[in-house]
Structures are given as structure tokens and as C-alpha cells.
Amino acid sequence: MIGRLNHVAIAVPDIEAAAAIYRDGFGATVSAPRGLPEHGVTVVFVDLPNTRVELMQPLGEASPIAKFLERNPGGGLHHLCYEVEDILAARDRLAAAGARVLGSGEPRIGAHGKPVLFLHPKDFAGTLVELEEA
Ligand SMILES: CC[C@@H](C(=O)O)C(=O)SCCNC(=O)CCNC(=O)[C@H](O)C(C)(C)COP(=O)(O)OP(=O)(O)OC[C@H]1O[C@@H](n2cnc3c(N)ncnc32)[C@H](O)[C@@H]1OP(=O)(O)O
Ligand SMILES: [Co+2]
């Protein structure tokens, strides 16, 4: 069921500073910042040969990453995003096995224009998991 690693996400307090680390320090291709109010984050994507890094800064009053940054003020690894062929089939299989699907449980459109869902970190070895339909 599980497919490619789509991205590794890092929550940061200052997205321009984090983007500069990858652009100027590592020489990576880095996108312009993009605000996604429906997800409560501003994102920058770093393109790597085999995957992407998603840098995220809180956006708005109720950002889902605000509490994480309170606990980790310098930033930190936030989630892994795996591709799946059929997101509803993947959700139903994981939920039937006892995993908690976050939010309404219905997929929303993510940063790449594809349906995404989040799974509770306590059910996945302490790692917040995002599923994205391939
Ligand atoms: C850009 C769009 C999209 C894309 O297409 O790529 C995105 O990636 S959007 C990314 C941001 N959106 C989300 O993260 C949505 C899903 N997240 C949530 O619903 C919440 O953040 C959460 C996972 C339920 C956590 O909620 P929060 O209020 O911050 O904390 P809790 O107190 O409820 O946490 C409970 C428990 O879990 C631990 N925790 C929290 N976040 C993480 C994490 N990222 N990784 C690992 N563990 C995490 C937290 O420490 C608590 O543990 P205990 O203290 O032991 O209870
Ligand atoms: Co993500």
C-alpha cells in the first residue's frame, strides 16, 4: 500500500532563514514561500534528487504547527508524507487496524493539488504521517 516518500516536513519559526540554509548553504533549488491559509502554514519546498523537504512556518491564529513550535522553538522534524495509490482505501485499511485519522477524516487538497490526510503520531512510532494520493 505505501509508496514513495513524497516529502519530509520541518516546522520552523522563520521560513526565510530556513530557506536560506538550503539555498545558500546546500545549494538546493528552493521554491518561493506560499501561504496556504486552509492548512494554517506558509510553505517552501526544497527539491532533492529523490524527494522534497517541506519547510513550514505557522500562518494565522489557529495553525496546527503552533503548539509544536512552542515545544520546539528552534524548529524540528514535523511529519513524513508517503504516497498511496488510493487514499480512501489506505485510510479505511489503517482505521480498521486502529489508527486515528486526524481532522474530519476526509481528505483535503494539499500543497501539490492532491488529496491528503494526516494520521496520529502516537499510532505511527511517534511520527506524524501524511498520506498523499499519488
Ligand atoms: C502544506 C499542506 C500539507 C501538505 O500538503 O504537505 C501539510 O503538510 S499541512 C502540515 C500541517 N498540518 C498538520 O500537521 C495537520 C495534522 N496535525 C494535527 O492535527 C496536529 O498537529 C496534531 C498532530 C494532532 C498535534 O496536535 P497538537 O495540538 O500540536 O498537539 P497535541 O498536544 O494534541 O499532541 C498530542 C501528542 O502528540 C505529540 N505530537 C504532536 N505533534 C507531533 C509531531 N509533529 N510529531 C510527533 N509527535 C507529535 C505531542 O507531543 C503529544 O504527545 P504527548 O505530550 O506525549 O501526549
Ligand atoms: Co506535508
Side-chain angles (χ1 to χ4, degrees), residues 9-12 15 41-43 54-58 65 69 78-79:
I10 303 175
V12 299
I15 201 159
V41 292
T42 298
V43 291
E54 177 181 68
L55 304 173
M56 310 182 296
Q57 177 184 291
I65 68 170
L69 277 171
H78 186 264
H79 66 266

Side-chain angles (χ1 to χ4, degrees), residues 6-10 39 41 43 45 54 56 78-81 110-112 116 118 129-132:
N6 184 280
H7 60 265
V8 175
I10 303 175
H39 288 285
V41 292
V43 291
F45 278 96
E54 177 181 68
M56 310 182 296
H78 186 264
H79 66 266
L80 297 177
C81 177
H112 307 115
V116 301
F118 287 87
V129 171
E130 178 180 1
L131 300 180
E132 179 175 306

